[in-house]
Amino acid sequence: MAGSTYGKLFTVTTWGESHGPAIGVVIDGCPAGLPLTEENIQQFLDRRKPGQSRFTTARSEADQAEILSGVFGGRTTGTPISVIVRNQDQRSRDYGKIKDCYRPGHADYTFDAKYGIRDYRGGGRTSGRETIGRVAAGAVASRLLKRLGIHVTAYTKAIGSISVPESEYDYDSINQNPLYMPNNEYAGKAAAYLESCVKNQDSSGGIIECIIDGMPAGIGEPVFDKLDACLAKAVMSIGAVKGVEIGDGFEAARMTGSADNDEFCMKKGTVCKKSNHSGGTLGGLSDGSRIVLRAAVKPTPSISREQKTVDIHGKETSISITGRHDPVIVPRAVVVAESMAAITVADLLLANMGAKMEYLEKIYKE
């Protein structure tokens, strides 16, 4: 299988299946000397692990990170960092009755069409557990960015039709509710809505918003590796994400140029913008303002309500999916989107080191 590696200089390769012995990641290109421990990675993994609330799968996994290489004495060595997380609570029997059926909304049919063979236990590589490797790499990338004064934060903007208005944001609330929403009152409304979904044997989608603060201007590699293009690819690569927008996004299509343009001004000798409709990027490069991106996440496809489908023999049938599944993917995907954004920015920052002679001279002459 090609396509399991992301990045050019800061590269991330994930491996493993949902019901295999383990899940893991190899992170290459991380500079030597970055302080890093298993606990640093664990803090990120704990945000996506199952069993944290009634709105996540009951699968009991510690998701304990173990660093196999690339770190010595609490610091990165510059060599590939390998992290493993062992699976402990697989229930492959839950999939025995439906192994020959194509589950609606899943990749069963497309994987059969491509490879002629698939791991039906939990979806194999298409399972949400694949994101463990992304999150572990995101923890490393975030520590690198923090040293440079860059901070990435993601949260649940909306679940179903319940959306937190920007004027009501309280970032301190993000980690105070199980849905990772920046407002506890709206989180309560969303929780009630999800309870109704569960009662109706259904699921919900939502929107993740991610902000990046502290970015210098000029990061990105036109033409094909623009900052916004790379962020879109990174976040769209997350399972269940069906759309990505930067800044005003699709709303910009309904605006006039005079309304959408961000006028420039000077503040304390620095070029700034009076607004941020562009979401922090111009011409595919960071413009020095806050980067804002959103990801639309589809409803969890595994629902207990009976659905029509086809089996591997071409016979029409019906299916009702049992087992342990999230009624909403969004809360556990928040840290995944944050991680992919951090990985992307780290990769492009490393690429930018060769953009000017003065950068090279600072490294090799001074």
Side-chain angles (χ1 to χ4, degrees), residues 157-315:
K157 165 75 174 175
I159 289 180
S161 62
I162 300 167
S163 179
V164 184
E166 189 173 350
S167 60
E168 300 290 329
Y169 282 4
D170 174 15
Y171 295 114
D172 291 334
S173 299
I174 295 173
N175 294 314
Q176 295 175 3
N177 62 80
L179 301 179
Y180 295 104
M181 299 187 87
N183 183 295
N184 289 327
E185 182 181 347
Y186 279 84
K189 296 177 181 178
Y193 167 68
L194 288 174
E195 292 283 9
S196 68
C197 289
V198 173
K199 185 178 180 180
N200 293 322
Q201 298 177 295
D202 220 332
S203 60
S204 174
I207 297 174
I208 297 171
E209 189 166 78
C210 182
I211 56 177
I212 307 172
D213 289 312
M215 278 286 284
I219 304 301
E221 298 296 319
V223 172
F224 297 113
D225 287 332
K226 295 176 180 176
L227 172 60
D228 41 6
C230 289
L231 285 171
K233 177 181 179 179
V235 176
M236 277 292 290
S237 74
I238 301 170
V241 171
K242 303 302 290 183
V244 174
E245 66 176 12
I246 308 290
D248 284 349
F250 284 94
E251 183 62 29
R254 292 185 284 269
M255 300 171 69
T256 61
S258 59
D260 185 52
N261 285 344
D262 299 309
E263 294 184 336
F264 290 105
C265 61
M266 294 298 296
K267 289 184 180 180
K268 298 180 180 180
T270 302
V271 176
C272 297
K273 299 189 306 181
K274 292 183 178 181
S275 55
N276 192 24
H277 297 290
S278 71
T281 69
L282 289 170
L285 302 173
S286 57
D287 61 25
S289 56
R290 169 177 280 184
I291 295 170
V292 182
L293 67 90
R294 295 174 207 89
V297 183
K298 74 175 186 178
T300 314
S302 292
I303 58 176
S304 55
R305 180 181 295 190
E306 186 174 281
Q307 302 174 85
K308 300 296 183 182
T309 188
V310 173
D311 65 20
I312 61 175
H313 307 294
K315 180 182 177 181

Side-chain angles (χ1 to χ4, degrees), residues 8-11 27-32 141 144-145 148 219-221 342-355 359-360 363:
K8 292 188 175 181
L9 296 177
F10 188 96
T11 65
I27 308 153
D28 205 359
C30 180
L144 188 157
L145 297 181
L148 301 176
I219 304 301
E221 298 296 319
I343 291 165
T344 300
V345 171
D347 191 36
L348 290 173
L349 282 167
L350 291 174
N352 194 64
M353 292 174 63
Y359 297 162
L360 295 177
I363 297 173

Side-chain angles (χ1 to χ4, degrees), residues 77-146:
T77 62
T79 59
I81 302 167
S82 184
V83 181
I84 187 173
V85 172
R86 302 181 192 281
N87 292 325
Q88 298 175 326
D89 189 30
Q90 309 98 316
R91 290 187 187 174
S92 300
R93 63 181 180 276
D94 288 344
Y95 297 89
K97 294 181 180 179
I98 61 173
K99 66 182 179 68
D100 292 336
C101 294
Y102 295 135
R103 295 170 296 172
H106 284 272
D108 301 341
Y109 170 69
T110 51
F111 260 59
D112 261 1
K114 181 174 179 65
Y115 299 108
I117 185 173
R118 62 183 169 88
D119 185 345
Y120 62 82
R121 305 166 303 167
R125 284 289 286 167
T126 68
S127 167
R129 284 193 67 73
E130 179 272 332
T131 63
I132 284 176
R134 299 169 184 247
V135 172
V140 178
S142 292
R143 288 187 65 77
L144 188 157
L145 297 181
K146 187 176 181 180

